Amino acid sequence: MAKRKLSKRQAWRINKIQQERNERASKKEDQIHHDLEGGDLGPEQSGQVISHFGTQVLVEGEDGTQTRCYMRANLGGLVTGDNVTWRCGKDQGVVVAKLDRQCELQRPSMYGELKSVAANIDFMIIVVAPEPHAHRNLIDRYLVAAEVSQIEPVLCLNKTDLVNDDNREHFETLIKDYQEIGYRFIQASAKTDGGLDELKTFLKDKISVFVGQSGVGKSSIISTLLPDEDIRVGGLREQSKTGRHTTTTATLFHFPSGGDLIDSPGIREFGLWHMEEHEILEGFKEFQPFIGMCKFRDCKHQAEPGCAFKKALKSGEISEGRFESFQQIVASLDDVSMRPK
Ligand SMILES: Nc1nc2c(ncn2[C@@H]2O[C@H](COP(=O)(O)OP(=O)(O)OP(=O)(O)O)[C@@H](O)[C@H]2O)c(=O)[nH]1
Ligand SMILES: [Mg+2]
Ligand SMILES: [Zn+2]
């Protein structure tokens, strides 16, 4: 992983962006006060944040209609899935309060700023596919984030129509490994409609966020589950090496029978720089019985005698792949000079 040191220029840019943001926010505040004094706003009502556009959010009100809202600067940021109190104006509304989040999925931005991706989620559906190739380390990073945020992760292999004699064994092993740890692993194909009934059944009445690399088919799955919604799906050329992403903002959709699905933009890397080593360890579910069991309290689980992890590796209680992933993530923590404070 590349080192993320901020150059002077980058730091200056971030500062400048922040300054501009603050100026814009204070202008918005003035507008809010103006509207409030003019009595142009309707009564307070509850709502749910459907998506986020820069300084505005799309809020769904009690009657089910969606309104673009600006938000009071003191709200501290809103994300898709947030429950809010808001007031409807003539063309747009104002969010006046954010309700406490039950849980949130967070990740650091390229600049080390900790950002929320979505709030109040029950399930995190980690989508992988034969194309683009499923990296174990990325899966493990998502799993750590889910475990630490207390969101239940579910793995989903999409594009099963692309499983062939060359890659079948790879995916069978992958699925078996994660199922043995105790994770649910679903197989689906958005293209052929295969396997989606199973997904539909257990997503009912829950709020689920779909995550994974760009191009694995998150939007395609959601669009197959919700055929009436207009959801953008990437063309193959768009998904190629240019690094372009089709979905650019997290958006929430309702299941007609109850439950919500949040589509999120694909990412190549899921940074965990904001976490401590012990948190990463806690994110590896099957490692739990071995924590604190090494002979030396400061054991690095490398070549020390009496290492409980090395023993578990030998006996097969921990897989080589997951242990390598753990070590890779821990090594990447040292790579970063700037972590969010
Ligand atoms: N063969 C096959 N192709 C699929 C399947 N599901 C999706 N695709 C294709 O994969 C490409 C990417 O699909 P998207 O749904 O846009 O992927 P995404 O994960 O939402 O990507 P981002 O929004 O960029 O994160 C599109 O060309 C889809 O048609 C599938 O089950 N089988
Ligand atoms: Mg998408
Ligand atoms: Zn050890």
PDB file of all heavy atoms in Angstrom, residues 103 105 118-126 146 150-155 184 186 198-211 255 259-262:
ATOM      1  N   CYS A 103     -26.032   2.550  14.675  1.00  0.00           N
ATOM      2  CA  CYS A 103     -24.686   2.131  14.300  1.00  0.00           C
ATOM      3  C   CYS A 103     -24.334   2.861  13.019  1.00  0.00           C
ATOM      4  O   CYS A 103     -25.211   3.439  12.367  1.00  0.00           O
ATOM      5  CB  CYS A 103     -24.608   0.633  14.079  1.00  0.00           C
ATOM      6  SG  CYS A 103     -25.625   0.089  12.722  1.00  0.00           S
ATOM      7  N   LEU A 105     -21.378   2.807   9.540  1.00  0.00           N
ATOM      8  CA  LEU A 105     -20.211   2.261   8.873  1.00  0.00           C
ATOM      9  C   LEU A 105     -19.308   3.431   8.534  1.00  0.00           C
ATOM     10  O   LEU A 105     -19.733   4.382   7.882  1.00  0.00           O
ATOM     11  CB  LEU A 105     -20.646   1.531   7.593  1.00  0.00           C
ATOM     12  CG  LEU A 105     -19.516   1.092   6.663  1.00  0.00           C
ATOM     13  CD1 LEU A 105     -18.612   0.080   7.354  1.00  0.00           C
ATOM     14  CD2 LEU A 105     -20.084   0.494   5.385  1.00  0.00           C
ATOM     15  N   ALA A 118     -22.742   5.126   5.859  1.00  0.00           N
ATOM     16  CA  ALA A 118     -24.188   4.969   6.035  1.00  0.00           C
ATOM     17  C   ALA A 118     -24.472   4.695   7.506  1.00  0.00           C
ATOM     18  O   ALA A 118     -23.596   4.247   8.241  1.00  0.00           O
ATOM     19  CB  ALA A 118     -24.695   3.824   5.168  1.00  0.00           C
ATOM     20  N   ALA A 119     -25.717   4.982   7.905  1.00  0.00           N
ATOM     21  CA  ALA A 119     -26.067   4.839   9.323  1.00  0.00           C
ATOM     22  C   ALA A 119     -27.261   3.918   9.511  1.00  0.00           C
ATOM     23  O   ALA A 119     -28.045   3.701   8.579  1.00  0.00           O
ATOM     24  CB  ALA A 119     -26.393   6.212   9.901  1.00  0.00           C
ATOM     25  N   ASN A 120     -27.378   3.384  10.717  1.00  0.00           N
ATOM     26  CA  ASN A 120     -28.532   2.567  11.137  1.00  0.00           C
ATOM     27  C   ASN A 120     -28.729   1.309  10.278  1.00  0.00           C
ATOM     28  O   ASN A 120     -29.829   1.024   9.818  1.00  0.00           O
ATOM     29  CB  ASN A 120     -29.816   3.415  11.115  1.00  0.00           C
ATOM     30  CG  ASN A 120     -29.665   4.642  12.000  1.00  0.00           C
ATOM     31  OD1 ASN A 120     -29.071   4.560  13.070  1.00  0.00           O
ATOM     32  ND2 ASN A 120     -30.193   5.759  11.556  1.00  0.00           N
ATOM     33  N   ILE A 121     -27.628   0.603  10.057  1.00  0.00           N
ATOM     34  CA  ILE A 121     -27.662  -0.549   9.153  1.00  0.00           C
ATOM     35  C   ILE A 121     -27.720  -1.857   9.952  1.00  0.00           C
ATOM     36  O   ILE A 121     -27.056  -1.991  10.972  1.00  0.00           O
ATOM     37  CB  ILE A 121     -26.357  -0.594   8.319  1.00  0.00           C
ATOM     38  CG1 ILE A 121     -26.048   0.769   7.740  1.00  0.00           C
ATOM     39  CG2 ILE A 121     -26.415  -1.641   7.244  1.00  0.00           C
ATOM     40  CD1 ILE A 121     -24.583   1.041   7.668  1.00  0.00           C
ATOM     41  N   ASP A 122     -28.505  -2.816   9.456  1.00  0.00           N
ATOM     42  CA  ASP A 122     -28.526  -4.146  10.077  1.00  0.00           C
ATOM     43  C   ASP A 122     -27.508  -5.069   9.410  1.00  0.00           C
ATOM     44  O   ASP A 122     -26.763  -5.773  10.074  1.00  0.00           O
ATOM     45  CB  ASP A 122     -29.917  -4.786   9.929  1.00  0.00           C
ATOM     46  CG  ASP A 122     -30.988  -3.983  10.624  1.00  0.00           C
ATOM     47  OD1 ASP A 122     -30.848  -3.774  11.843  1.00  0.00           O
ATOM     48  OD2 ASP A 122     -31.951  -3.544   9.965  1.00  0.00           O
ATOM     49  N   PHE A 123     -27.521  -5.084   8.077  1.00  0.00           N
ATOM     50  CA  PHE A 123     -26.651  -5.998   7.342  1.00  0.00           C
ATOM     51  C   PHE A 123     -25.702  -5.258   6.420  1.00  0.00           C
ATOM     52  O   PHE A 123     -26.075  -4.257   5.807  1.00  0.00           O
ATOM     53  CB  PHE A 123     -27.483  -6.923   6.436  1.00  0.00           C
ATOM     54  CG  PHE A 123     -28.253  -7.988   7.145  1.00  0.00           C
ATOM     55  CD1 PHE A 123     -29.590  -8.213   6.821  1.00  0.00           C
ATOM     56  CD2 PHE A 123     -27.656  -8.792   8.106  1.00  0.00           C
ATOM     57  CE1 PHE A 123     -30.322  -9.207   7.454  1.00  0.00           C
ATOM     58  CE2 PHE A 123     -28.373  -9.790   8.740  1.00  0.00           C
ATOM     59  CZ  PHE A 123     -29.708  -9.996   8.421  1.00  0.00           C
ATOM     60  N   MET A 124     -24.492  -5.787   6.315  1.00  0.00           N
ATOM     61  CA  MET A 124     -23.545  -5.292   5.321  1.00  0.00           C
ATOM     62  C   MET A 124     -23.345  -6.427   4.324  1.00  0.00           C
ATOM     63  O   MET A 124     -22.828  -7.486   4.677  1.00  0.00           O
ATOM     64  CB  MET A 124     -22.226  -4.972   6.011  1.00  0.00           C
ATOM     65  CG  MET A 124     -21.188  -4.381   5.118  1.00  0.00           C
ATOM     66  SD  MET A 124     -19.628  -4.568   5.945  1.00  0.00           S
ATOM     67  CE  MET A 124     -19.045  -3.039   6.080  1.00  0.00           C
ATOM     68  N   ILE A 125     -23.823  -6.226   3.112  1.00  0.00           N
ATOM     69  CA  ILE A 125     -23.693  -7.272   2.094  1.00  0.00           C
ATOM     70  C   ILE A 125     -22.403  -7.016   1.320  1.00  0.00           C
ATOM     71  O   ILE A 125     -22.311  -6.039   0.561  1.00  0.00           O
ATOM     72  CB  ILE A 125     -24.896  -7.276   1.111  1.00  0.00           C
ATOM     73  CG1 ILE A 125     -26.222  -7.080   1.849  1.00  0.00           C
ATOM     74  CG2 ILE A 125     -24.897  -8.544   0.266  1.00  0.00           C
ATOM     75  CD1 ILE A 125     -26.626  -8.187   2.760  1.00  0.00           C
ATOM     76  N   ILE A 126     -21.423  -7.856   1.540  1.00  0.00           N
ATOM     77  CA  ILE A 126     -20.125  -7.689   0.880  1.00  0.00           C
ATOM     78  C   ILE A 126     -20.169  -8.471  -0.433  1.00  0.00           C
ATOM     79  O   ILE A 126     -20.187  -9.701  -0.429  1.00  0.00           O
ATOM     80  CB  ILE A 126     -18.988  -8.208   1.785  1.00  0.00           C
ATOM     81  CG1 ILE A 126     -19.037  -7.508   3.153  1.00  0.00           C
ATOM     82  CG2 ILE A 126     -17.630  -8.020   1.108  1.00  0.00           C
ATOM     83  CD1 ILE A 126     -18.185  -8.161   4.228  1.00  0.00           C
ATOM     84  N   ALA A 146     -17.153  -4.365   9.673  1.00  0.00           N
ATOM     85  CA  ALA A 146     -18.496  -4.784  10.066  1.00  0.00           C
ATOM     86  C   ALA A 146     -18.504  -5.250  11.520  1.00  0.00           C
ATOM     87  O   ALA A 146     -19.345  -4.821  12.317  1.00  0.00           O
ATOM     88  CB  ALA A 146     -18.987  -5.900   9.157  1.00  0.00           C
ATOM     89  N   GLN A 150     -20.363  -3.531  14.696  1.00  0.00           N
ATOM     90  CA  GLN A 150     -21.494  -4.381  15.093  1.00  0.00           C
ATOM     91  C   GLN A 150     -22.611  -4.391  14.068  1.00  0.00           C
ATOM     92  O   GLN A 150     -23.793  -4.301  14.387  1.00  0.00           O
ATOM     93  CB  GLN A 150     -21.995  -3.987  16.474  1.00  0.00           C
ATOM     94  CG  GLN A 150     -20.906  -4.241  17.486  1.00  0.00           C
ATOM     95  CD  GLN A 150     -21.321  -3.968  18.891  1.00  0.00           C
ATOM     96  OE1 GLN A 150     -22.169  -3.140  19.151  1.00  0.00           O
ATOM     97  NE2 GLN A 150     -20.728  -4.681  19.808  1.00  0.00           N
ATOM     98  N   ILE A 151     -22.188  -4.491  12.812  1.00  0.00           N
ATOM     99  CA  ILE A 151     -23.135  -4.665  11.711  1.00  0.00           C
ATOM    100  C   ILE A 151     -22.941  -6.094  11.227  1.00  0.00           C
ATOM    101  O   ILE A 151     -21.798  -6.539  11.063  1.00  0.00           O
ATOM    102  CB  ILE A 151     -22.803  -3.683  10.558  1.00  0.00           C
ATOM    103  CG1 ILE A 151     -22.873  -2.237  11.048  1.00  0.00           C
ATOM    104  CG2 ILE A 151     -23.731  -3.911   9.374  1.00  0.00           C
ATOM    105  CD1 ILE A 151     -22.303  -1.218  10.080  1.00  0.00           C
ATOM    106  N   GLU A 152     -24.008  -6.834  11.020  1.00  0.00           N
ATOM    107  CA  GLU A 152     -23.825  -8.232  10.618  1.00  0.00           C
ATOM    108  C   GLU A 152     -23.415  -8.337   9.146  1.00  0.00           C
ATOM    109  O   GLU A 152     -24.147  -7.909   8.263  1.00  0.00           O
ATOM    110  CB  GLU A 152     -25.114  -9.032  10.857  1.00  0.00           C
ATOM    111  CG  GLU A 152     -24.866 -10.519  10.688  1.00  0.00           C
ATOM    112  CD  GLU A 152     -26.084 -11.360  10.985  1.00  0.00           C
ATOM    113  OE1 GLU A 152     -26.931 -10.929  11.800  1.00  0.00           O
ATOM    114  OE2 GLU A 152     -26.178 -12.443  10.388  1.00  0.00           O
ATOM    115  N   PRO A 153     -22.225  -8.915   8.894  1.00  0.00           N
ATOM    116  CA  PRO A 153     -21.807  -9.022   7.496  1.00  0.00           C
ATOM    117  C   PRO A 153     -22.366 -10.274   6.820  1.00  0.00           C
ATOM    118  O   PRO A 153     -22.547 -11.307   7.462  1.00  0.00           O
ATOM    119  CB  PRO A 153     -20.285  -9.122   7.595  1.00  0.00           C
ATOM    120  CG  PRO A 153     -20.025  -9.726   8.929  1.00  0.00           C
ATOM    121  CD  PRO A 153     -21.193  -9.407   9.826  1.00  0.00           C
ATOM    122  N   VAL A 154     -22.646 -10.165   5.544  1.00  0.00           N
ATOM    123  CA  VAL A 154     -23.088 -11.305   4.741  1.00  0.00           C
ATOM    124  C   VAL A 154     -22.276 -11.263   3.460  1.00  0.00           C
ATOM    125  O   VAL A 154     -22.148 -10.198   2.851  1.00  0.00           O
ATOM    126  CB  VAL A 154     -24.593 -11.179   4.392  1.00  0.00           C
ATOM    127  CG1 VAL A 154     -25.029 -12.301   3.468  1.00  0.00           C
ATOM    128  CG2 VAL A 154     -25.446 -11.150   5.647  1.00  0.00           C
ATOM    129  N   LEU A 155     -21.703 -12.375   3.063  1.00  0.00           N
ATOM    130  CA  LEU A 155     -20.919 -12.398   1.825  1.00  0.00           C
ATOM    131  C   LEU A 155     -21.787 -12.849   0.672  1.00  0.00           C
ATOM    132  O   LEU A 155     -22.635 -13.732   0.836  1.00  0.00           O
ATOM    133  CB  LEU A 155     -19.722 -13.329   1.991  1.00  0.00           C
ATOM    134  CG  LEU A 155     -18.679 -12.793   2.982  1.00  0.00           C
ATOM    135  CD1 LEU A 155     -17.947 -13.911   3.683  1.00  0.00           C
ATOM    136  CD2 LEU A 155     -17.703 -11.889   2.267  1.00  0.00           C
ATOM    137  N   ARG A 184     -22.352 -16.145   6.686  1.00  0.00           N
ATOM    138  CA  ARG A 184     -23.303 -16.537   5.662  1.00  0.00           C
ATOM    139  C   ARG A 184     -22.729 -16.144   4.300  1.00  0.00           C
ATOM    140  O   ARG A 184     -22.222 -15.025   4.147  1.00  0.00           O
ATOM    141  CB  ARG A 184     -24.626 -15.810   5.900  1.00  0.00           C
ATOM    142  CG  ARG A 184     -25.756 -16.282   5.002  1.00  0.00           C
ATOM    143  CD  ARG A 184     -26.880 -15.298   5.103  1.00  0.00           C
ATOM    144  NE  ARG A 184     -27.669 -15.500   6.295  1.00  0.00           N
ATOM    145  CZ  ARG A 184     -28.796 -16.216   6.319  1.00  0.00           C
ATOM    146  NH1 ARG A 184     -29.227 -16.802   5.233  1.00  0.00           N
ATOM    147  NH2 ARG A 184     -29.471 -16.332   7.426  1.00  0.00           N
ATOM    148  N   ILE A 186     -23.762 -16.160   0.292  1.00  0.00           N
ATOM    149  CA  ILE A 186     -24.822 -16.393  -0.683  1.00  0.00           C
ATOM    150  C   ILE A 186     -24.239 -16.363  -2.092  1.00  0.00           C
ATOM    151  O   ILE A 186     -23.281 -15.635  -2.349  1.00  0.00           O
ATOM    152  CB  ILE A 186     -25.881 -15.284  -0.527  1.00  0.00           C
ATOM    153  CG1 ILE A 186     -26.698 -15.558   0.735  1.00  0.00           C
ATOM    154  CG2 ILE A 186     -26.792 -15.173  -1.731  1.00  0.00           C
ATOM    155  CD1 ILE A 186     -27.671 -14.473   1.045  1.00  0.00           C
ATOM    156  N   GLU A 198     -33.205 -16.064  -2.219  1.00  0.00           N
ATOM    157  CA  GLU A 198     -32.647 -16.292  -0.879  1.00  0.00           C
ATOM    158  C   GLU A 198     -32.281 -14.950  -0.240  1.00  0.00           C
ATOM    159  O   GLU A 198     -32.601 -14.686   0.922  1.00  0.00           O
ATOM    160  CB  GLU A 198     -31.412 -17.191  -0.990  1.00  0.00           C
ATOM    161  CG  GLU A 198     -30.873 -17.605   0.370  1.00  0.00           C
ATOM    162  CD  GLU A 198     -29.547 -18.361   0.275  1.00  0.00           C
ATOM    163  OE1 GLU A 198     -29.097 -18.677  -0.841  1.00  0.00           O
ATOM    164  OE2 GLU A 198     -28.976 -18.612   1.359  1.00  0.00           O
ATOM    165  N   LEU A 199     -31.653 -14.098  -1.046  1.00  0.00           N
ATOM    166  CA  LEU A 199     -31.240 -12.785  -0.561  1.00  0.00           C
ATOM    167  C   LEU A 199     -32.471 -11.961  -0.157  1.00  0.00           C
ATOM    168  O   LEU A 199     -32.520 -11.370   0.912  1.00  0.00           O
ATOM    169  CB  LEU A 199     -30.483 -12.082  -1.696  1.00  0.00           C
ATOM    170  CG  LEU A 199     -29.574 -10.924  -1.336  1.00  0.00           C
ATOM    171  CD1 LEU A 199     -28.490 -11.363  -0.384  1.00  0.00           C
ATOM    172  CD2 LEU A 199     -28.930 -10.342  -2.600  1.00  0.00           C
ATOM    173  N   LYS A 200     -33.468 -11.981  -1.019  1.00  0.00           N
ATOM    174  CA  LYS A 200     -34.684 -11.209  -0.800  1.00  0.00           C
ATOM    175  C   LYS A 200     -35.353 -11.610   0.506  1.00  0.00           C
ATOM    176  O   LYS A 200     -35.792 -10.764   1.285  1.00  0.00           O
ATOM    177  CB  LYS A 200     -35.639 -11.477  -1.960  1.00  0.00           C
ATOM    178  CG  LYS A 200     -36.618 -10.386  -2.222  1.00  0.00           C
ATOM    179  CD  LYS A 200     -37.310 -10.655  -3.554  1.00  0.00           C
ATOM    180  CE  LYS A 200     -38.269  -9.570  -3.907  1.00  0.00           C
ATOM    181  NZ  LYS A 200     -38.733  -9.687  -5.287  1.00  0.00           N
ATOM    182  N   THR A 201     -35.401 -12.903   0.755  1.00  0.00           N
ATOM    183  CA  THR A 201     -36.084 -13.403   1.940  1.00  0.00           C
ATOM    184  C   THR A 201     -35.456 -12.876   3.217  1.00  0.00           C
ATOM    185  O   THR A 201     -36.141 -12.396   4.102  1.00  0.00           O
ATOM    186  CB  THR A 201     -36.066 -14.949   1.958  1.00  0.00           C
ATOM    187  OG1 THR A 201     -36.540 -15.383   0.698  1.00  0.00           O
ATOM    188  CG2 THR A 201     -36.914 -15.516   3.068  1.00  0.00           C
ATOM    189  N   PHE A 202     -34.139 -12.928   3.298  1.00  0.00           N
ATOM    190  CA  PHE A 202     -33.629 -12.534   4.606  1.00  0.00           C
ATOM    191  C   PHE A 202     -33.306 -11.050   4.726  1.00  0.00           C
ATOM    192  O   PHE A 202     -33.038 -10.552   5.810  1.00  0.00           O
ATOM    193  CB  PHE A 202     -32.512 -13.469   5.083  1.00  0.00           C
ATOM    194  CG  PHE A 202     -31.158 -13.056   4.697  1.00  0.00           C
ATOM    195  CD1 PHE A 202     -30.434 -12.182   5.496  1.00  0.00           C
ATOM    196  CD2 PHE A 202     -30.598 -13.533   3.551  1.00  0.00           C
ATOM    197  CE1 PHE A 202     -29.181 -11.792   5.135  1.00  0.00           C
ATOM    198  CE2 PHE A 202     -29.349 -13.154   3.191  1.00  0.00           C
ATOM    199  CZ  PHE A 202     -28.634 -12.279   3.969  1.00  0.00           C
ATOM    200  N   LEU A 203     -33.403 -10.303   3.615  1.00  0.00           N
ATOM    201  CA  LEU A 203     -33.223  -8.849   3.705  1.00  0.00           C
ATOM    202  C   LEU A 203     -34.514  -8.143   4.121  1.00  0.00           C
ATOM    203  O   LEU A 203     -34.515  -6.960   4.434  1.00  0.00           O
ATOM    204  CB  LEU A 203     -32.781  -8.276   2.358  1.00  0.00           C
ATOM    205  CG  LEU A 203     -31.432  -8.722   1.823  1.00  0.00           C
ATOM    206  CD1 LEU A 203     -31.100  -7.986   0.539  1.00  0.00           C
ATOM    207  CD2 LEU A 203     -30.333  -8.463   2.861  1.00  0.00           C
ATOM    208  N   LYS A 204     -35.598  -8.912   4.138  1.00  0.00           N
ATOM    209  CA  LYS A 204     -36.912  -8.362   4.446  1.00  0.00           C
ATOM    210  C   LYS A 204     -36.901  -7.669   5.818  1.00  0.00           C
ATOM    211  O   LYS A 204     -36.360  -8.208   6.786  1.00  0.00           O
ATOM    212  CB  LYS A 204     -37.939  -9.502   4.448  1.00  0.00           C
ATOM    213  CG  LYS A 204     -39.360  -9.032   4.366  1.00  0.00           C
ATOM    214  CD  LYS A 204     -40.295 -10.218   4.196  1.00  0.00           C
ATOM    215  CE  LYS A 204     -41.739  -9.829   4.227  1.00  0.00           C
ATOM    216  NZ  LYS A 204     -42.205  -9.045   5.318  1.00  0.00           N
ATOM    217  N   ASP A 205     -37.462  -6.487   5.858  1.00  0.00           N
ATOM    218  CA  ASP A 205     -37.611  -5.705   7.095  1.00  0.00           C
ATOM    219  C   ASP A 205     -36.291  -5.239   7.712  1.00  0.00           C
ATOM    220  O   ASP A 205     -36.263  -4.767   8.849  1.00  0.00           O
ATOM    221  CB  ASP A 205     -38.418  -6.477   8.153  1.00  0.00           C
ATOM    222  CG  ASP A 205     -39.835  -6.751   7.672  1.00  0.00           C
ATOM    223  OD1 ASP A 205     -40.361  -5.911   6.916  1.00  0.00           O
ATOM    224  OD2 ASP A 205     -40.393  -7.800   8.036  1.00  0.00           O
ATOM    225  N   LYS A 206     -35.184  -5.411   7.010  1.00  0.00           N
ATOM    226  CA  LYS A 206     -33.885  -4.974   7.542  1.00  0.00           C
ATOM    227  C   LYS A 206     -33.336  -3.844   6.683  1.00  0.00           C
ATOM    228  O   LYS A 206     -33.755  -3.664   5.532  1.00  0.00           O
ATOM    229  CB  LYS A 206     -32.869  -6.129   7.498  1.00  0.00           C
ATOM    230  CG  LYS A 206     -33.318  -7.361   8.241  1.00  0.00           C
ATOM    231  CD  LYS A 206     -33.120  -7.187   9.716  1.00  0.00           C
ATOM    232  CE  LYS A 206     -33.445  -8.469  10.448  1.00  0.00           C
ATOM    233  NZ  LYS A 206     -33.692  -8.272  11.852  1.00  0.00           N
ATOM    234  N   ILE A 207     -32.352  -3.113   7.227  1.00  0.00           N
ATOM    235  CA  ILE A 207     -31.659  -2.110   6.415  1.00  0.00           C
ATOM    236  C   ILE A 207     -30.293  -2.692   6.052  1.00  0.00           C
ATOM    237  O   ILE A 207     -29.513  -3.060   6.936  1.00  0.00           O
ATOM    238  CB  ILE A 207     -31.499  -0.779   7.172  1.00  0.00           C
ATOM    239  CG1 ILE A 207     -32.873  -0.289   7.675  1.00  0.00           C
ATOM    240  CG2 ILE A 207     -30.843   0.265   6.269  1.00  0.00           C
ATOM    241  CD1 ILE A 207     -32.837   1.053   8.387  1.00  0.00           C
ATOM    242  N   SER A 208     -30.038  -2.815   4.761  1.00  0.00           N
ATOM    243  CA  SER A 208     -28.799  -3.459   4.320  1.00  0.00           C
ATOM    244  C   SER A 208     -28.009  -2.534   3.415  1.00  0.00           C
ATOM    245  O   SER A 208     -28.569  -1.902   2.524  1.00  0.00           O
ATOM    246  CB  SER A 208     -29.114  -4.727   3.533  1.00  0.00           C
ATOM    247  OG  SER A 208     -30.028  -5.518   4.247  1.00  0.00           O
ATOM    248  N   VAL A 209     -26.708  -2.485   3.625  1.00  0.00           N
ATOM    249  CA  VAL A 209     -25.861  -1.694   2.735  1.00  0.00           C
ATOM    250  C   VAL A 209     -25.034  -2.656   1.882  1.00  0.00           C
ATOM    251  O   VAL A 209     -24.476  -3.618   2.390  1.00  0.00           O
ATOM    252  CB  VAL A 209     -24.973  -0.689   3.516  1.00  0.00           C
ATOM    253  CG1 VAL A 209     -24.000  -1.362   4.465  1.00  0.00           C
ATOM    254  CG2 VAL A 209     -24.200   0.230   2.575  1.00  0.00           C
ATOM    255  N   PHE A 210     -25.012  -2.411   0.575  1.00  0.00           N
ATOM    256  CA  PHE A 210     -24.234  -3.229  -0.347  1.00  0.00           C
ATOM    257  C   PHE A 210     -22.877  -2.572  -0.560  1.00  0.00           C
ATOM    258  O   PHE A 210     -22.813  -1.406  -0.947  1.00  0.00           O
ATOM    259  CB  PHE A 210     -24.960  -3.368  -1.692  1.00  0.00           C
ATOM    260  CG  PHE A 210     -26.092  -4.352  -1.647  1.00  0.00           C
ATOM    261  CD1 PHE A 210     -27.226  -4.101  -0.887  1.00  0.00           C
ATOM    262  CD2 PHE A 210     -26.018  -5.546  -2.358  1.00  0.00           C
ATOM    263  CE1 PHE A 210     -28.270  -5.010  -0.831  1.00  0.00           C
ATOM    264  CE2 PHE A 210     -27.060  -6.471  -2.312  1.00  0.00           C
ATOM    265  CZ  PHE A 210     -28.189  -6.201  -1.545  1.00  0.00           C
ATOM    266  N   VAL A 211     -21.808  -3.319  -0.300  1.00  0.00           N
ATOM    267  CA  VAL A 211     -20.460  -2.773  -0.461  1.00  0.00           C
ATOM    268  C   VAL A 211     -19.620  -3.733  -1.304  1.00  0.00           C
ATOM    269  O   VAL A 211     -19.981  -4.885  -1.504  1.00  0.00           O
ATOM    270  CB  VAL A 211     -19.774  -2.549   0.922  1.00  0.00           C
ATOM    271  CG1 VAL A 211     -20.533  -1.552   1.769  1.00  0.00           C
ATOM    272  CG2 VAL A 211     -19.620  -3.878   1.679  1.00  0.00           C
ATOM    273  N   PHE A 255     -37.783  -1.628  -0.039  1.00  0.00           N
ATOM    274  CA  PHE A 255     -38.427  -2.856  -0.507  1.00  0.00           C
ATOM    275  C   PHE A 255     -39.928  -2.650  -0.367  1.00  0.00           C
ATOM    276  O   PHE A 255     -40.387  -2.216   0.689  1.00  0.00           O
ATOM    277  CB  PHE A 255     -38.074  -4.006   0.454  1.00  0.00           C
ATOM    278  CG  PHE A 255     -37.107  -4.978  -0.111  1.00  0.00           C
ATOM    279  CD1 PHE A 255     -36.022  -5.399   0.645  1.00  0.00           C
ATOM    280  CD2 PHE A 255     -37.289  -5.517  -1.374  1.00  0.00           C
ATOM    281  CE1 PHE A 255     -35.126  -6.312   0.140  1.00  0.00           C
ATOM    282  CE2 PHE A 255     -36.393  -6.430  -1.873  1.00  0.00           C
ATOM    283  CZ  PHE A 255     -35.310  -6.832  -1.126  1.00  0.00           C
ATOM    284  N   GLY A 259     -38.303  -3.038   4.522  1.00  0.00           N
ATOM    285  CA  GLY A 259     -36.851  -3.160   4.507  1.00  0.00           C
ATOM    286  C   GLY A 259     -36.248  -2.180   3.506  1.00  0.00           C
ATOM    287  O   GLY A 259     -36.934  -1.721   2.597  1.00  0.00           O
ATOM    288  N   ASP A 260     -34.981  -1.826   3.732  1.00  0.00           N
ATOM    289  CA  ASP A 260     -34.307  -0.862   2.854  1.00  0.00           C
ATOM    290  C   ASP A 260     -32.990  -1.429   2.336  1.00  0.00           C
ATOM    291  O   ASP A 260     -32.319  -2.190   3.034  1.00  0.00           O
ATOM    292  CB  ASP A 260     -33.979   0.421   3.640  1.00  0.00           C
ATOM    293  CG  ASP A 260     -35.222   1.124   4.132  1.00  0.00           C
ATOM    294  OD1 ASP A 260     -36.245   1.111   3.421  1.00  0.00           O
ATOM    295  OD2 ASP A 260     -35.165   1.685   5.244  1.00  0.00           O
ATOM    296  N   LEU A 261     -32.647  -1.034   1.118  1.00  0.00           N
ATOM    297  CA  LEU A 261     -31.362  -1.427   0.536  1.00  0.00           C
ATOM    298  C   LEU A 261     -30.577  -0.159   0.237  1.00  0.00           C
ATOM    299  O   LEU A 261     -31.114   0.765  -0.364  1.00  0.00           O
ATOM    300  CB  LEU A 261     -31.573  -2.193  -0.775  1.00  0.00           C
ATOM    301  CG  LEU A 261     -32.477  -3.414  -0.743  1.00  0.00           C
ATOM    302  CD1 LEU A 261     -32.570  -4.035  -2.133  1.00  0.00           C
ATOM    303  CD2 LEU A 261     -31.931  -4.444   0.243  1.00  0.00           C
ATOM    304  N   ILE A 262     -29.325  -0.108   0.653  1.00  0.00           N
ATOM    305  CA  ILE A 262     -28.496   1.060   0.348  1.00  0.00           C
ATOM    306  C   ILE A 262     -27.418   0.650  -0.656  1.00  0.00           C
ATOM    307  O   ILE A 262     -26.623  -0.252  -0.395  1.00  0.00           O
ATOM    308  CB  ILE A 262     -27.836   1.638   1.627  1.00  0.00           C
ATOM    309  CG1 ILE A 262     -28.909   2.048   2.652  1.00  0.00           C
ATOM    310  CG2 ILE A 262     -26.932   2.821   1.275  1.00  0.00           C
ATOM    311  CD1 ILE A 262     -28.366   2.533   3.983  1.00  0.00           C
TER     312      ILE A 262
END
